[in-house]
Amino acid sequence: MSQSADVAVIVDAATGRITYVSPSVTRLFGWQPEQLLGRLARSLTHPEDIHRLQAAFVTTTADPGYHPTVEFRLGCADGSYRWVEETISNLAAVRGVDGLVANIRDITDRRATETALRESDLRYRLIAETAQEGIWACGHDGRTLFANETLAGLLGWSLSDIYALPSHDLLSGMSRDEIMGRQRRRGDDGTEIFEQLQIRPDGSSRILRFSAVAFVEDGVELGALAMISDVTDARMAEQELRRRAFHDSLTGLANRASLIERLSAALRDGDPQSAGTVAVLVCDLDQFKLINDSFGHAAGDELLIEIARRWQKVLGPNDTLARLGGDEFVVVCNRSGEAAARSTASNLLRALELPVNLAGRPVAVSASVGIALCDAIAPGVEAATLLRYADAAMYSAKSQGRGRTAVFTSELADQAQMRLELFNDLKDALAAEELGPGVPTSRRAGHRTDAGRRSAVPLGTSEAGLRRPGRVHLDGRGDRAHRTAGPMGAAPGVP
């Protein structure tokens, strides 16, 4: 936006301090962006105009759907002031923006034009012809009374066409009745500010901002007068801010914030008659680190982009594919039972059967997929919980080998609980030094033994009969009930 006619500013709604300023502020007002970061927004406002700006911020903060426009004098780096028009949008709820976005346009020339219109028709015409904004005066019949060259450039019509054709033939997106009705009501409605998409005769399009008032001369209302500016760059910049907040910068897929939002909506708004038909698939590439180490991170990025492209092609239009980070992807499928979810997982794995060309070499790629179905889980499950269950299923699939799929079950939850219980038992026993000598090693509970090469074994075992720690058993409530000692070897549920 360095060449934009607007300056984009993000202000923290809670503190009123500036957190972002677009580079165009240097060209328009002389400030370097870093000079303004952290400053109070009102500190740049003319003292006589602060109350108007503060009122607009308060209103926008209270009502995110309201986009007020306020005019005030903004201080420049050289100490002078310029008249600006600021439109405020509340994007505090958008992750990555987290504040009020203000689009600021220099309207000093427009203010001068309005003053000139009151003071001198000749002076008005001289300024109007050179103004950076389009100026358009129309009579009640829709015919043009005055237009400048800037307006011709904005609309895409020549000045001769503008004077020859009625306004409803020059504007796209509005009917004749709508345009004429607005012009007839201008004196009663006062100033009206609105934006309109203008499709030019050459097929190009721009977003134009209209600031329209009644056109009065010698006390007689002749029609309507509009100041028109091009706000396309500002709107595109705002759209880009939204896109970055909800999309992965590498693959263009939905990111974690977008995924959680969509999954939560699917769980919340699902059809009660088919409740629990949301499936979450967590997909993790096998040995992705080895590929990164062998070919470099740039090649790893190429691989992720290619996989995202392949998976998008095999998913349905109602499925959501997201990248959480690294080599972990997530698919959300609506109205998907276990059979359909397994079929989707198979399609994802088949899409990886063809090698990916990296640095001129074919590289075989596989993935492990974990599935969690909300019909297999208690009602009211949250998005984060469903993701965690799918993640656990994915690790179960990965433990079985490459290119496998596993579905989350209560058994998986029991195994995870068992491993946690066993880990905690061992940790507590070591901390309490409740383990006796047994296996030769160099340390015992963090300290060398007298022999220097003997370690700890569980209580309840004889020194002659060496055994592993006992298996933890759970009662019906999931509480640890008792522990049985097992023979030496891998304890059940131990990874």
Side-chain angles (χ1 to χ4, degrees), residues 196-243:
Q196 179 70 34
L197 179 66
Q198 173 69 10
I199 308 298
R200 295 168 169 176
D202 63 2
S204 63
S205 62
R206 305 298 290 177
I207 301 173
L208 303 182
R209 182 179 184 83
F210 291 73
S211 178
V213 297
F215 182 32
V216 180
E217 189 172 273
D218 297 329
V220 179
E221 184 180 327
L222 302 179
L225 174 67
M227 304 293 181
I228 304 169
S229 56
D230 188 337
V231 295
T232 307
D233 290 343
R235 297 299 166 262
M236 291 181 67
E238 187 174 310
Q239 183 178 355
E240 178 63 14
L241 283 173
R242 291 178 181 271
R243 192 196 69 79

mmCIF file of all heavy atoms in Angstrom, residues 196-243:
data_model
loop_
_atom_site.group_PDB
_atom_site.id
_atom_site.type_symbol
_atom_site.label_atom_id
_atom_site.label_comp_id
_atom_site.label_asym_id
_atom_site.label_seq_id
_atom_site.Cartn_x
_atom_site.Cartn_y
_atom_site.Cartn_z
ATOM 1 N N GLN A 196 -19.726 2.097 -3.757
ATOM 2 C CA GLN A 196 -20.372 1.453 -4.886
ATOM 3 C C GLN A 196 -19.309 0.836 -5.797
ATOM 4 O O GLN A 196 -18.280 1.462 -6.082
ATOM 5 C CB GLN A 196 -21.189 2.491 -5.671
ATOM 6 C CG GLN A 196 -21.902 1.958 -6.882
ATOM 7 C CD GLN A 196 -23.053 1.042 -6.499
ATOM 8 O OE1 GLN A 196 -23.705 1.268 -5.485
ATOM 9 N NE2 GLN A 196 -23.281 0.019 -7.299
ATOM 10 N N LEU A 197 -19.552 -0.402 -6.237
ATOM 11 C CA LEU A 197 -18.659 -1.038 -7.203
ATOM 12 C C LEU A 197 -18.977 -0.489 -8.589
ATOM 13 O O LEU A 197 -20.114 -0.578 -9.054
ATOM 14 C CB LEU A 197 -18.836 -2.554 -7.181
ATOM 15 C CG LEU A 197 -17.962 -3.343 -8.181
ATOM 16 C CD1 LEU A 197 -16.487 -3.203 -7.821
ATOM 17 C CD2 LEU A 197 -18.370 -4.808 -8.215
ATOM 18 N N GLN A 198 -17.980 0.086 -9.234
ATOM 19 C CA GLN A 198 -18.165 0.659 -10.561
ATOM 20 C C GLN A 198 -17.488 -0.224 -11.608
ATOM 21 O O GLN A 198 -16.267 -0.422 -11.577
ATOM 22 C CB GLN A 198 -17.583 2.077 -10.624
ATOM 23 C CG GLN A 198 -17.569 2.719 -11.992
ATOM 24 C CD GLN A 198 -18.970 3.051 -12.507
ATOM 25 O OE1 GLN A 198 -19.942 2.961 -11.763
ATOM 26 N NE2 GLN A 198 -19.068 3.455 -13.763
ATOM 27 N N ILE A 199 -18.297 -0.784 -12.509
ATOM 28 C CA ILE A 199 -17.763 -1.545 -13.631
ATOM 29 C C ILE A 199 -17.573 -0.575 -14.784
ATOM 30 O O ILE A 199 -18.533 -0.007 -15.306
ATOM 31 C CB ILE A 199 -18.711 -2.692 -14.056
ATOM 32 C CG1 ILE A 199 -19.075 -3.554 -12.842
ATOM 33 C CG2 ILE A 199 -18.058 -3.525 -15.148
ATOM 34 C CD1 ILE A 199 -17.909 -4.240 -12.190
ATOM 35 N N ARG A 200 -16.327 -0.390 -15.197
ATOM 36 C CA ARG A 200 -16.035 0.583 -16.245
ATOM 37 C C ARG A 200 -16.354 0.010 -17.628
ATOM 38 O O ARG A 200 -16.459 -1.217 -17.792
ATOM 39 C CB ARG A 200 -14.557 0.971 -16.168
ATOM 40 C CG ARG A 200 -14.191 1.704 -14.888
ATOM 41 C CD ARG A 200 -12.687 1.791 -14.757
ATOM 42 N NE ARG A 200 -12.285 2.707 -13.698
ATOM 43 C CZ ARG A 200 -11.022 2.896 -13.329
ATOM 44 N NH1 ARG A 200 -10.051 2.216 -13.918
ATOM 45 N NH2 ARG A 200 -10.740 3.754 -12.366
ATOM 46 N N PRO A 201 -16.478 0.884 -18.627
ATOM 47 C CA PRO A 201 -16.760 0.408 -19.984
ATOM 48 C C PRO A 201 -15.723 -0.584 -20.514
ATOM 49 O O PRO A 201 -16.048 -1.439 -21.343
ATOM 50 C CB PRO A 201 -16.765 1.701 -20.819
ATOM 51 C CG PRO A 201 -17.158 2.772 -19.852
ATOM 52 C CD PRO A 201 -16.529 2.367 -18.556
ATOM 53 N N ASP A 202 -14.471 -0.489 -20.046
ATOM 54 C CA ASP A 202 -13.441 -1.416 -20.525
ATOM 55 C C ASP A 202 -13.440 -2.740 -19.768
ATOM 56 O O ASP A 202 -12.593 -3.608 -20.011
ATOM 57 C CB ASP A 202 -12.054 -0.773 -20.437
ATOM 58 C CG ASP A 202 -11.645 -0.439 -18.998
ATOM 59 O OD1 ASP A 202 -12.420 -0.743 -18.059
ATOM 60 O OD2 ASP A 202 -10.556 0.136 -18.804
ATOM 61 N N GLY A 203 -14.390 -2.927 -18.821
ATOM 62 C CA GLY A 203 -14.497 -4.176 -18.080
ATOM 63 C C GLY A 203 -13.789 -4.175 -16.745
ATOM 64 O O GLY A 203 -14.010 -5.071 -15.927
ATOM 65 N N SER A 204 -12.927 -3.199 -16.489
ATOM 66 C CA SER A 204 -12.251 -3.120 -15.196
ATOM 67 C C SER A 204 -13.231 -2.621 -14.138
ATOM 68 O O SER A 204 -14.291 -2.071 -14.461
ATOM 69 C CB SER A 204 -11.041 -2.189 -15.270
ATOM 70 O OG SER A 204 -11.453 -0.860 -15.575
ATOM 71 N N SER A 205 -12.887 -2.799 -12.878
ATOM 72 C CA SER A 205 -13.786 -2.392 -11.797
ATOM 73 C C SER A 205 -13.006 -1.702 -10.684
ATOM 74 O O SER A 205 -11.834 -2.025 -10.442
ATOM 75 C CB SER A 205 -14.530 -3.610 -11.228
ATOM 76 O OG SER A 205 -13.623 -4.531 -10.662
ATOM 77 N N ARG A 206 -13.663 -0.774 -10.029
ATOM 78 C CA ARG A 206 -13.094 -0.063 -8.891
ATOM 79 C C ARG A 206 -14.193 0.130 -7.850
ATOM 80 O O ARG A 206 -15.387 0.191 -8.174
ATOM 81 C CB ARG A 206 -12.545 1.309 -9.287
ATOM 82 C CG ARG A 206 -11.536 1.315 -10.398
ATOM 83 C CD ARG A 206 -10.283 0.548 -10.057
ATOM 84 N NE ARG A 206 -9.483 1.215 -9.035
ATOM 85 C CZ ARG A 206 -8.363 0.684 -8.529
ATOM 86 N NH1 ARG A 206 -7.942 -0.516 -8.934
ATOM 87 N NH2 ARG A 206 -7.688 1.329 -7.605
ATOM 88 N N ILE A 207 -13.783 0.223 -6.592
ATOM 89 C CA ILE A 207 -14.724 0.527 -5.516
ATOM 90 C C ILE A 207 -14.656 2.032 -5.266
ATOM 91 O O ILE A 207 -13.591 2.556 -4.914
ATOM 92 C CB ILE A 207 -14.385 -0.252 -4.243
ATOM 93 C CG1 ILE A 207 -14.407 -1.750 -4.515
ATOM 94 C CG2 ILE A 207 -15.376 0.086 -3.122
ATOM 95 C CD1 ILE A 207 -13.922 -2.595 -3.352
ATOM 96 N N LEU A 208 -15.773 2.709 -5.472
ATOM 97 C CA LEU A 208 -15.809 4.159 -5.337
ATOM 98 C C LEU A 208 -16.596 4.561 -4.098
ATOM 99 O O LEU A 208 -17.616 3.962 -3.770
ATOM 100 C CB LEU A 208 -16.452 4.792 -6.578
ATOM 101 C CG LEU A 208 -15.793 4.475 -7.924
ATOM 102 C CD1 LEU A 208 -16.512 5.213 -9.050
ATOM 103 C CD2 LEU A 208 -14.306 4.826 -7.908
ATOM 104 N N ARG A 209 -16.105 5.603 -3.454
ATOM 105 C CA ARG A 209 -16.759 6.134 -2.264
ATOM 106 C C ARG A 209 -17.400 7.469 -2.610
ATOM 107 O O ARG A 209 -16.723 8.392 -3.100
ATOM 108 C CB ARG A 209 -15.745 6.304 -1.129
ATOM 109 C CG ARG A 209 -16.347 6.813 0.168
ATOM 110 C CD ARG A 209 -15.272 6.912 1.240
ATOM 111 N NE ARG A 209 -15.838 7.307 2.505
ATOM 112 C CZ ARG A 209 -16.422 6.485 3.366
ATOM 113 N NH1 ARG A 209 -16.520 5.206 3.074
ATOM 114 N NH2 ARG A 209 -16.900 6.916 4.507
ATOM 115 N N PHE A 210 -18.706 7.578 -2.358
ATOM 116 C CA PHE A 210 -19.467 8.785 -2.667
ATOM 117 C C PHE A 210 -19.789 9.538 -1.372
ATOM 118 O O PHE A 210 -20.253 8.925 -0.407
ATOM 119 C CB PHE A 210 -20.784 8.433 -3.362
ATOM 120 C CG PHE A 210 -20.634 7.889 -4.760
ATOM 121 C CD1 PHE A 210 -20.157 6.612 -4.968
ATOM 122 C CD2 PHE A 210 -20.975 8.663 -5.852
ATOM 123 C CE1 PHE A 210 -20.020 6.101 -6.254
ATOM 124 C CE2 PHE A 210 -20.845 8.164 -7.141
ATOM 125 C CZ PHE A 210 -20.366 6.882 -7.348
ATOM 126 N N SER A 211 -19.549 10.827 -1.385
ATOM 127 C CA SER A 211 -19.988 11.708 -0.309
ATOM 128 C C SER A 211 -20.889 12.756 -0.970
ATOM 129 O O SER A 211 -20.400 13.671 -1.641
ATOM 130 C CB SER A 211 -18.803 12.367 0.385
ATOM 131 O OG SER A 211 -19.232 13.259 1.388
ATOM 132 N N ALA A 212 -22.208 12.574 -0.844
ATOM 133 C CA ALA A 212 -23.165 13.368 -1.604
ATOM 134 C C ALA A 212 -23.946 14.322 -0.705
ATOM 135 O O ALA A 212 -24.344 13.961 0.405
ATOM 136 C CB ALA A 212 -24.126 12.447 -2.348
ATOM 137 N N VAL A 213 -24.168 15.537 -1.203
ATOM 138 C CA VAL A 213 -24.959 16.551 -0.495
ATOM 139 C C VAL A 213 -25.882 17.206 -1.515
ATOM 140 O O VAL A 213 -25.750 17.020 -2.730
ATOM 141 C CB VAL A 213 -24.070 17.619 0.168
ATOM 142 C CG1 VAL A 213 -23.188 17.007 1.236
ATOM 143 C CG2 VAL A 213 -23.223 18.332 -0.892
ATOM 144 N N ALA A 214 -26.825 17.983 -1.032
ATOM 145 C CA ALA A 214 -27.688 18.745 -1.930
ATOM 146 C C ALA A 214 -26.890 19.855 -2.602
ATOM 147 O O ALA A 214 -26.045 20.505 -1.973
ATOM 148 C CB ALA A 214 -28.864 19.336 -1.149
ATOM 149 N N PHE A 215 -27.111 20.046 -3.900
ATOM 150 C CA PHE A 215 -26.424 21.100 -4.653
ATOM 151 C C PHE A 215 -27.331 22.332 -4.665
ATOM 152 O O PHE A 215 -28.383 22.357 -5.307
ATOM 153 C CB PHE A 215 -26.136 20.619 -6.070
ATOM 154 C CG PHE A 215 -25.399 21.604 -6.927
ATOM 155 C CD1 PHE A 215 -24.476 22.486 -6.371
ATOM 156 C CD2 PHE A 215 -25.631 21.660 -8.290
ATOM 157 C CE1 PHE A 215 -23.796 23.386 -7.152
ATOM 158 C CE2 PHE A 215 -24.951 22.569 -9.091
ATOM 159 C CZ PHE A 215 -24.031 23.433 -8.525
ATOM 160 N N VAL A 216 -26.917 23.345 -3.900
ATOM 161 C CA VAL A 216 -27.737 24.551 -3.725
ATOM 162 C C VAL A 216 -26.980 25.754 -4.257
ATOM 163 O O VAL A 216 -25.791 25.941 -3.971
ATOM 164 C CB VAL A 216 -28.100 24.761 -2.242
ATOM 165 C CG1 VAL A 216 -28.942 26.019 -2.072
ATOM 166 C CG2 VAL A 216 -28.826 23.538 -1.687
ATOM 167 N N GLU A 217 -27.665 26.583 -5.011
ATOM 168 C CA GLU A 217 -27.056 27.804 -5.545
ATOM 169 C C GLU A 217 -28.065 28.939 -5.397
ATOM 170 O O GLU A 217 -29.217 28.826 -5.848
ATOM 171 C CB GLU A 217 -26.681 27.612 -7.012
ATOM 172 C CG GLU A 217 -25.837 28.749 -7.579
ATOM 173 C CD GLU A 217 -25.323 28.429 -8.962
ATOM 174 O OE1 GLU A 217 -24.255 27.797 -9.073
ATOM 175 O OE2 GLU A 217 -26.020 28.796 -9.946
ATOM 176 N N ASP A 218 -27.639 30.009 -4.732
ATOM 177 C CA ASP A 218 -28.513 31.165 -4.478
ATOM 178 C C ASP A 218 -29.805 30.752 -3.781
ATOM 179 O O ASP A 218 -30.897 31.256 -4.082
ATOM 180 C CB ASP A 218 -28.842 31.888 -5.786
ATOM 181 C CG ASP A 218 -27.607 32.476 -6.451
ATOM 182 O OD1 ASP A 218 -26.674 32.853 -5.708
ATOM 183 O OD2 ASP A 218 -27.571 32.523 -7.689
ATOM 184 N N GLY A 219 -29.690 29.809 -2.862
ATOM 185 C CA GLY A 219 -30.832 29.369 -2.088
ATOM 186 C C GLY A 219 -31.756 28.410 -2.803
ATOM 187 O O GLY A 219 -32.774 27.994 -2.229
ATOM 188 N N VAL A 220 -31.429 28.042 -4.024
ATOM 189 C CA VAL A 220 -32.267 27.131 -4.794
ATOM 190 C C VAL A 220 -31.569 25.777 -4.920
ATOM 191 O O VAL A 220 -30.398 25.711 -5.318
ATOM 192 C CB VAL A 220 -32.567 27.699 -6.200
ATOM 193 C CG1 VAL A 220 -33.423 26.711 -6.999
ATOM 194 C CG2 VAL A 220 -33.251 29.055 -6.089
ATOM 195 N N GLU A 221 -32.295 24.708 -4.569
ATOM 196 C CA GLU A 221 -31.718 23.369 -4.694
ATOM 197 C C GLU A 221 -31.810 22.918 -6.145
ATOM 198 O O GLU A 221 -32.901 22.734 -6.703
ATOM 199 C CB GLU A 221 -32.462 22.373 -3.792
ATOM 200 C CG GLU A 221 -31.846 20.985 -3.813
ATOM 201 C CD GLU A 221 -32.580 19.997 -2.925
ATOM 202 O OE1 GLU A 221 -33.117 20.429 -1.876
ATOM 203 O OE2 GLU A 221 -32.635 18.809 -3.288
ATOM 204 N N LEU A 222 -30.648 22.709 -6.756
ATOM 205 C CA LEU A 222 -30.591 22.351 -8.173
ATOM 206 C C LEU A 222 -30.442 20.850 -8.404
ATOM 207 O O LEU A 222 -30.646 20.369 -9.514
ATOM 208 C CB LEU A 222 -29.419 23.082 -8.850
ATOM 209 C CG LEU A 222 -29.442 24.615 -8.758
ATOM 210 C CD1 LEU A 222 -28.214 25.198 -9.437
ATOM 211 C CD2 LEU A 222 -30.717 25.167 -9.377
ATOM 212 N N GLY A 223 -30.035 20.132 -7.392
ATOM 213 C CA GLY A 223 -29.811 18.692 -7.557
ATOM 214 C C GLY A 223 -28.910 18.163 -6.466
ATOM 215 O O GLY A 223 -29.097 18.498 -5.287
ATOM 216 N N ALA A 224 -27.919 17.392 -6.854
ATOM 217 C CA ALA A 224 -27.011 16.777 -5.881
ATOM 218 C C ALA A 224 -25.566 16.989 -6.297
ATOM 219 O O ALA A 224 -25.246 17.032 -7.494
ATOM 220 C CB ALA A 224 -27.295 15.280 -5.762
ATOM 221 N N LEU A 225 -24.700 17.125 -5.295
ATOM 222 C CA LEU A 225 -23.262 17.283 -5.518
ATOM 223 C C LEU A 225 -22.553 16.154 -4.782
ATOM 224 O O LEU A 225 -22.802 15.924 -3.599
ATOM 225 C CB LEU A 225 -22.779 18.636 -5.003
ATOM 226 C CG LEU A 225 -21.264 18.878 -5.033
ATOM 227 C CD1 LEU A 225 -20.778 18.952 -6.476
ATOM 228 C CD2 LEU A 225 -20.912 20.156 -4.278
ATOM 229 N N ALA A 226 -21.665 15.465 -5.496
ATOM 230 C CA ALA A 226 -20.962 14.327 -4.889
ATOM 231 C C ALA A 226 -19.456 14.478 -5.062
ATOM 232 O O ALA A 226 -18.985 14.871 -6.140
ATOM 233 C CB ALA A 226 -21.429 13.013 -5.514
ATOM 234 N N MET A 227 -18.746 14.183 -3.979
ATOM 235 C CA MET A 227 -17.290 14.045 -4.025
ATOM 236 C C MET A 227 -17.005 12.549 -4.076
ATOM 237 O O MET A 227 -17.492 11.791 -3.229
ATOM 238 C CB MET A 227 -16.646 14.675 -2.788
ATOM 239 C CG MET A 227 -16.996 16.141 -2.574
ATOM 240 S SD MET A 227 -16.305 17.181 -3.871
ATOM 241 C CE MET A 227 -16.864 18.800 -3.327
ATOM 242 N N ILE A 228 -16.221 12.102 -5.035
ATOM 243 C CA ILE A 228 -16.040 10.679 -5.278
ATOM 244 C C ILE A 228 -14.562 10.336 -5.233
ATOM 245 O O ILE A 228 -13.731 11.010 -5.870
ATOM 246 C CB ILE A 228 -16.638 10.282 -6.641
ATOM 247 C CG1 ILE A 228 -18.114 10.683 -6.684
ATOM 248 C CG2 ILE A 228 -16.485 8.788 -6.905
ATOM 249 C CD1 ILE A 228 -18.733 10.587 -8.051
ATOM 250 N N SER A 229 -14.226 9.294 -4.487
ATOM 251 C CA SER A 229 -12.836 8.854 -4.367
ATOM 252 C C SER A 229 -12.743 7.352 -4.597
ATOM 253 O O SER A 229 -13.717 6.619 -4.428
ATOM 254 C CB SER A 229 -12.270 9.221 -2.986
ATOM 255 O OG SER A 229 -13.075 8.669 -1.959
ATOM 256 N N ASP A 230 -11.577 6.914 -4.978
ATOM 257 C CA ASP A 230 -11.311 5.489 -5.241
ATOM 258 C C ASP A 230 -10.768 4.864 -3.961
ATOM 259 O O ASP A 230 -9.689 5.226 -3.483
ATOM 260 C CB ASP A 230 -10.290 5.365 -6.370
ATOM 261 C CG ASP A 230 -10.097 3.926 -6.834
ATOM 262 O OD1 ASP A 230 -10.386 3.009 -6.046
ATOM 263 O OD2 ASP A 230 -9.662 3.725 -7.978
ATOM 264 N N VAL A 231 -11.515 3.925 -3.380
ATOM 265 C CA VAL A 231 -11.090 3.281 -2.132
ATOM 266 C C VAL A 231 -10.759 1.806 -2.369
ATOM 267 O O VAL A 231 -10.717 1.018 -1.436
ATOM 268 C CB VAL A 231 -12.177 3.404 -1.042
ATOM 269 C CG1 VAL A 231 -12.383 4.858 -0.657
ATOM 270 C CG2 VAL A 231 -13.493 2.778 -1.498
ATOM 271 N N THR A 232 -10.499 1.441 -3.619
ATOM 272 C CA THR A 232 -10.225 0.037 -3.953
ATOM 273 C C THR A 232 -9.029 -0.490 -3.176
ATOM 274 O O THR A 232 -9.081 -1.586 -2.607
ATOM 275 C CB THR A 232 -9.973 -0.114 -5.457
ATOM 276 O OG1 THR A 232 -11.054 0.463 -6.186
ATOM 277 C CG2 THR A 232 -9.835 -1.581 -5.840
ATOM 278 N N ASP A 233 -7.919 0.239 -3.156
ATOM 279 C CA ASP A 233 -6.711 -0.225 -2.472
ATOM 280 C C ASP A 233 -6.959 -0.432 -0.986
ATOM 281 O O ASP A 233 -6.478 -1.408 -0.397
ATOM 282 C CB ASP A 233 -5.566 0.776 -2.668
ATOM 283 C CG ASP A 233 -5.057 0.803 -4.099
ATOM 284 O OD1 ASP A 233 -5.355 -0.148 -4.840
ATOM 285 O OD2 ASP A 233 -4.385 1.789 -4.473
ATOM 286 N N ALA A 234 -7.710 0.491 -0.381
ATOM 287 C CA ALA A 234 -7.986 0.362 1.051
ATOM 288 C C ALA A 234 -8.816 -0.882 1.332
ATOM 289 O O ALA A 234 -8.550 -1.616 2.293
ATOM 290 C CB ALA A 234 -8.710 1.603 1.566
ATOM 291 N N ARG A 235 -9.831 -1.136 0.510
ATOM 292 C CA ARG A 235 -10.680 -2.311 0.740
ATOM 293 C C ARG A 235 -9.907 -3.606 0.478
ATOM 294 O O ARG A 235 -10.102 -4.608 1.174
ATOM 295 C CB ARG A 235 -11.916 -2.248 -0.156
ATOM 296 C CG ARG A 235 -12.822 -1.067 0.141
ATOM 297 C CD ARG A 235 -13.357 -1.133 1.578
ATOM 298 N NE ARG A 235 -13.954 0.143 1.963
ATOM 299 C CZ ARG A 235 -13.305 1.057 2.662
ATOM 300 N NH1 ARG A 235 -12.061 0.846 3.059
ATOM 301 N NH2 ARG A 235 -13.909 2.187 2.993
ATOM 302 N N MET A 236 -9.052 -3.601 -0.515
ATOM 303 C CA MET A 236 -8.251 -4.797 -0.789
ATOM 304 C C MET A 236 -7.259 -5.059 0.337
ATOM 305 O O MET A 236 -7.004 -6.216 0.704
ATOM 306 C CB MET A 236 -7.517 -4.642 -2.119
ATOM 307 C CG MET A 236 -8.433 -4.669 -3.343
ATOM 308 S SD MET A 236 -7.546 -4.526 -4.907
ATOM 309 C CE MET A 236 -6.644 -6.089 -4.902
ATOM 310 N N ALA A 237 -6.698 -3.990 0.907
ATOM 311 C CA ALA A 237 -5.774 -4.155 2.032
ATOM 312 C C ALA A 237 -6.500 -4.730 3.242
ATOM 313 O O ALA A 237 -5.979 -5.600 3.941
ATOM 314 C CB ALA A 237 -5.134 -2.811 2.389
ATOM 315 N N GLU A 238 -7.722 -4.246 3.486
ATOM 316 C CA GLU A 238 -8.511 -4.770 4.593
ATOM 317 C C GLU A 238 -8.861 -6.240 4.364
ATOM 318 O O GLU A 238 -8.806 -7.063 5.288
ATOM 319 C CB GLU A 238 -9.787 -3.934 4.730
ATOM 320 C CG GLU A 238 -10.624 -4.272 5.942
ATOM 321 C CD GLU A 238 -11.790 -3.319 6.103
ATOM 322 O OE1 GLU A 238 -11.550 -2.099 6.058
ATOM 323 O OE2 GLU A 238 -12.929 -3.798 6.259
ATOM 324 N N GLN A 239 -9.191 -6.580 3.114
ATOM 325 C CA GLN A 239 -9.504 -7.969 2.777
ATOM 326 C C GLN A 239 -8.287 -8.859 2.961
ATOM 327 O O GLN A 239 -8.388 -9.996 3.422
ATOM 328 C CB GLN A 239 -9.998 -8.041 1.327
ATOM 329 C CG GLN A 239 -10.417 -9.439 0.887
ATOM 330 C CD GLN A 239 -10.935 -9.452 -0.542
ATOM 331 O OE1 GLN A 239 -11.063 -8.409 -1.174
ATOM 332 N NE2 GLN A 239 -11.208 -10.626 -1.052
ATOM 333 N N GLU A 240 -7.106 -8.329 2.629
ATOM 334 C CA GLU A 240 -5.879 -9.099 2.799
ATOM 335 C C GLU A 240 -5.584 -9.327 4.277
ATOM 336 O O GLU A 240 -5.113 -10.413 4.671
ATOM 337 C CB GLU A 240 -4.708 -8.374 2.134
ATOM 338 C CG GLU A 240 -3.346 -9.045 2.285
ATOM 339 C CD GLU A 240 -3.273 -10.421 1.638
ATOM 340 O OE1 GLU A 240 -4.167 -10.779 0.838
ATOM 341 O OE2 GLU A 240 -2.329 -11.159 1.959
ATOM 342 N N LEU A 241 -5.854 -8.330 5.110
ATOM 343 C CA LEU A 241 -5.671 -8.506 6.551
ATOM 344 C C LEU A 241 -6.554 -9.638 7.070
ATOM 345 O O LEU A 241 -6.126 -10.471 7.867
ATOM 346 C CB LEU A 241 -6.007 -7.207 7.294
ATOM 347 C CG LEU A 241 -4.953 -6.093 7.255
ATOM 348 C CD1 LEU A 241 -5.513 -4.832 7.896
ATOM 349 C CD2 LEU A 241 -3.673 -6.520 7.940
ATOM 350 N N ARG A 242 -7.795 -9.674 6.597
ATOM 351 C CA ARG A 242 -8.708 -10.742 7.009
ATOM 352 C C ARG A 242 -8.215 -12.103 6.510
ATOM 353 O O ARG A 242 -8.257 -13.097 7.223
ATOM 354 C CB ARG A 242 -10.109 -10.477 6.457
ATOM 355 C CG ARG A 242 -10.823 -9.285 7.094
ATOM 356 C CD ARG A 242 -12.192 -9.090 6.446
ATOM 357 N NE ARG A 242 -12.903 -7.962 7.005
ATOM 358 C CZ ARG A 242 -13.698 -8.028 8.060
ATOM 359 N NH1 ARG A 242 -13.878 -9.182 8.673
ATOM 360 N NH2 ARG A 242 -14.331 -6.961 8.511
ATOM 361 N N ARG A 243 -7.729 -12.130 5.255
ATOM 362 C CA ARG A 243 -7.272 -13.402 4.678
ATOM 363 C C ARG A 243 -6.084 -13.946 5.471
ATOM 364 O O ARG A 243 -6.020 -15.141 5.775
ATOM 365 C CB ARG A 243 -6.888 -13.196 3.217
ATOM 366 C CG ARG A 243 -6.670 -14.500 2.438
ATOM 367 C CD ARG A 243 -5.932 -14.266 1.154
ATOM 368 N NE ARG A 243 -4.561 -13.875 1.388
ATOM 369 C CZ ARG A 243 -3.589 -14.727 1.695
ATOM 370 N NH1 ARG A 243 -3.840 -16.020 1.826
ATOM 371 N NH2 ARG A 243 -2.361 -14.290 1.912
#
